[in-house]
Amino acid sequence: MVLSRYVGATVRRKEDPRLITGKSTYVGDLHLAGALHVAFVRSQYAHANITNVDASAAKDMPGVYEVIIGSDASALVNPANADKTAPGPGSTGTTDISQFPLATDRVRYVGEPIAAVVASSEQLARDAADSIMVDYDPLPAVTDMEKAVEDGAPQLYEDKPGNISASFEKLAGDIDAAFDGAPVTVKARIRSQRLAGVSLETRGVVAAPDPLSGGLTVWQSTQAPHNNRAELAAALGMSTSQIRVIAPEVGGGFGVKIGDYPEDFLVAGLARQLGRPVKWIETRSEHMATTHHGRDQIAYMEAAADNDGTIRGLRMRVLHCAGAYDRGSGIKNFTVLMSCGCYEIPAVDAKIDAVFTNQMAVSAYRGAGRPEAAYYIERVMDLIADETGLDPVEVRRKNFIPPEKFPYTTTAGERYDTGEYDKALTKALEISNYEGLLKEKEEAAKDGRLIGIGMASYVEICGFGPNESASIRVDEDGAVRVFTGISPHGQGQETTFAQMVADRLGADFENIFVHHGDTGNTPIGNGTMGSRGLAVGGGAITMSANKVFEKASRIAAHMLEASVDDIEMEDGKYRVKGSPDQSVTLAQIGEAAYSGNMPDGLDHGLESTDYFAPDDETFPFGTHIAVVEVDPDTGHVSLLKYFSVDDCGERISPQLVEGQVHGGLAQGIAQALYEELHYDDGGQILSGSLMDYAIPKADMLINFTTDQTVTSTPINPMGSKGIGEAATIGSTPAVANAVIDALSTYGVTHMDVPMTSERVWNVIQEARK
């Protein structure tokens, strides 16, 4: 019998002491002897031919060791293997455009690197970079997706007509019949704006030659060290065994630290060429301009429904901004695959095109294609409610996929594992006192106040494969070392995995040490992204822990001269059933495992390495309800109340789930009300600093009311689905729907996010006309 003392309990995070006392180490904290520093010359134009680069002044400056320009980088990095991405399964077209580490003849976005300077100090490298003169022949630029696909638009690549990088579509059911004669039809153009990741720590890389292996050790602020190692090896023409990638403490990622960037390849190549450590730390301005962005789609939505709100069919055409180099074309597919949301929709005609523009690339950002899909379908549900005069609750309930139909394959092609959507909605209505909120809104209207109530019922996709790894080793003193292929950077899996191992092995929680982020000591893994850390990484932990437990039980039976079938583990002791005095601890078992006191036929040692490969993904879900007030004189939106009910399956660490929900709400609400990365028509960034880009501050948010339902999944042994992105996905449409509900008194049925004071005020003025 194995009792849960830690799983499901609230415990102190194992990571916190070193983090809150400032004792941990980030890439920027590394100061290697003899290290050189890199600074980059970046394009000032969004689109231009490079006619000349004069680096003579930089090369003559004392302390400058190397200046690399354009094609010179090919001696360090094979550009054919650098920074390539696949368009995603089922896509038409190809993403065969590689971004060279340094631009050679043409630049295609502001901030694209043109030259690199290596010097003895960071400041000297920047001064030398500033002395490099670049001559440009400016070309017409395009930053508007809708204009980019028009005839006559500036073309970024000759072999990509119409600026289309890749496309993905799904057509299922009789879509024409669904719309023919439909008593209710709705349509809207919906924009999901461009966002910046704004991780607390910017990107950074330190590379140093390893004299023992003849290879490199590379420290990166990354979410996926093993993946980066493979990319670096291919680009540098080295074996993966010659490269060790270490992600020390990583100060946030949100998806923007997946994969290598041009700077990573160059720093590693320079360290190899110069035979010395080389370091580059991204500035905040560089981060805003040259770390990939998120969202940036335009969706043209149409839905057909019956008078009772039942959806008959859905048409969707989406433009997804790829930017100048398509780093994340595959994420666009999720927008189509998740287009049905929580609902039974019998006919779907959906297509998404990735469009090249003269901007930084768009790729994964907390949700990656799924927040966009949820936003679009949840706006459609409210539009149907507006058109039919039904309550938004009734429209959603009318179309929910019922629990008995799971596993359920949607018309868009995704196979959902489990779901009880109405249960989450009902819980949200209960904790918010929805009927009371409607009365409060009605009373406020009598006083001229604009109160809005919005909701969103979302489902998202988590737990991506193909697999994840774990290695668990019990030492001779009973301490347990856990090595995982995921790479946490704030999620808290050191705590979660320790809870799981403590319960399964009877180990001392404080004596469990979780190691991650180092390709030199962790089994090959796929990193942390897409809320896969627990859903997939936890599966591998469970497999290894089970095998170690089985072996520990056999050793305990040998030590106690009992049958292994009579051994049970309770309160940290392996004991004979019915004889609690006959017991041994894990430390005693560990000592026996390495001293040779073992049963015949059992190998010495006490450890296991395993890989968990899930059969499919998991699909967490929930319902959020937001209450806002709009000031009609200023357009200011005040968030009054927020209720979040999220179902992520079984919760291993409730406190960590709560933290993920709160962080996700902050980002999703910010998308609805504040954040947007602006470019002008010439491709210059207008909100490229934290003076201009409106990330949420504490006084912009309120205390949230959170709750849960629990719907387990059979996809992994824990029954856990994932929570890292869920709250971000539910909150943007909930707040957007609330603001539009507040404005409905003016006849407003849609406006785009972010719903800033200026935009809301303008909508009110236009409606008043």
Side-chain angles (χ1 to χ4, degrees), residues 723-767:
I723 192 62
E725 295 148 310
T728 307
I729 292 169
S731 52
T732 300
V735 173
N737 285 342
V739 174
I740 294 168
D741 181 56
L743 298 175
S744 62
T745 186
Y746 297 109
V748 175
T749 58
H750 180 71
M751 68 172 291
D752 282 328
V753 293
M755 296 171 176
T756 61
S757 298
E758 179 186 9
R759 286 185 175 179
V760 172
W761 186 85
N762 283 328
V763 166
I764 292 173
Q765 302 314 305
E766 187 65 28

Side-chain angles (χ1 to χ4, degrees), residues 464-475:
F464 300 97
N467 56 58
E468 199 45 77
S469 63
S471 181
I472 297 178
R473 182 183 307 154
V474 179
D475 291 333

